[in-house]
Amino acid sequence: KCQDDDDPFIKGEFDVIKELLEKFPATVEGKKKIDRVLDICGPTPKGTGLQNLRECVIETKWKYDVASEDKQVGWKGLILDFMERYFYLICFATYCLEEGPGGYNHSFSWWMDEHKDLRSMIDQGKDKLEWYRTVDAAKLEHLKDMMSAPNYKENLGTLIRTIYDFAFVTYADLPRGPIKNNSMRGWLPPHF
């Protein structure tokens, strides 16, 4: 077990999934089953080296956070697709738990039709992610003041350290690696 195991997003606790579990309690067991399958399919050493859909949502969101606006459109589409797949896998696992013992007398489409609210829930809820990073407005204003000061060149060391600290706090949730490095470098103004 590692510290990431306690992260709510690693556990698949996205807003639309929490809503699903709350409004349709039968899906709690379905989520447990599908999460186990996703963990087995995930990257090594926990899984077999394929892909964990919950982690795909998170990793793609990190890429979205540091991408230019034109690339964010593509990343957002992927995130929404991953979220929708995860939602439907939980529903399918729940369907299997309910219909399997009786020999699957009904199709999954029929089961979804019997639970009409599920389709609208994912359509309206898959976009409930924080799409913009929140920053400390006071720290940002202080940083702007430092950069626009006439003596900024004399205080360059302090300014760079302040920019680095600000970026570190803003991107504290990103894991070490190229995504975090690129996001933190993006804070420096072009004339530095």
Side-chain angles (χ1 to χ4, degrees), residues 19-178:
E19 181 183 355
L20 172 67
L21 301 178
E22 182 182 312
K23 291 186 177 175
F24 295 92
T27 59
V28 171
E29 190 59 32
K31 181 182 181 305
K32 286 179 187 174
K33 298 285 186 193
I34 209 64
D35 281 347
R36 179 68 184 126
V37 171
L38 291 177
D39 290 340
I40 291 170
C41 291
T44 56
K46 291 182 184 180
T48 58
L50 298 172
Q51 188 178 58
N52 182 320
L53 206 49
R54 293 184 320 270
E55 292 175 8
C56 287
V57 172
I58 297 162
E59 290 169 5
T60 309
K61 177 67 168 74
W62 291 334
K63 292 174 184 176
Y64 170 90
D65 285 343
V66 299
S68 59
E69 285 185 34
D70 58 323
K71 292 193 169 132
Q72 283 184 338
V73 173
W75 291 125
K76 185 174 181 178
L78 275 175
I79 294 165
L80 297 179
D81 286 347
F82 290 144
M83 189 72 71
E84 189 171 32
R85 289 177 201 167
Y86 184 46
F87 184 95
Y88 278 110
L89 281 171
I90 293 170
C91 291
F92 185 74
T94 305
Y95 156 77
C96 290
L97 290 169
E98 290 180 2
E99 291 289 321
Y104 295 100
N105 294 321
H106 302 100
S107 69
F108 180 59
S109 294
W110 175 89
W111 187 88
M112 286 298 294
D113 289 342
E114 290 295 303
H115 302 88
K116 290 186 187 335
D117 293 344
L118 294 177
R119 286 192 178 105
S120 61
M121 184 185 297
I122 186 58
D123 286 341
Q124 295 166 9
K126 65 184 172 185
D127 202 10
K128 290 181 182 174
L129 283 177
E130 187 176 306
W131 293 109
Y132 301 99
R133 287 190 174 268
T134 55
V135 295
D136 184 327
K139 286 183 181 179
L140 182 60
E141 198 56 41
H142 175 67
L143 188 58
K144 287 179 181 178
D145 291 344
M146 287 178 71
M147 289 176 17
S148 62
N151 65 342
Y152 79 90
K153 287 187 180 179
E154 292 97 47
N155 296 326
L156 198 55
T158 304
L159 180 58
I160 290 172
R161 182 67 196 173
T162 304
I163 291 170
Y164 178 79
D165 290 343
F166 187 62
F168 185 80
V169 169
T170 302
Y171 293 102
D173 63 316
L174 294 179
R176 289 179 174 256

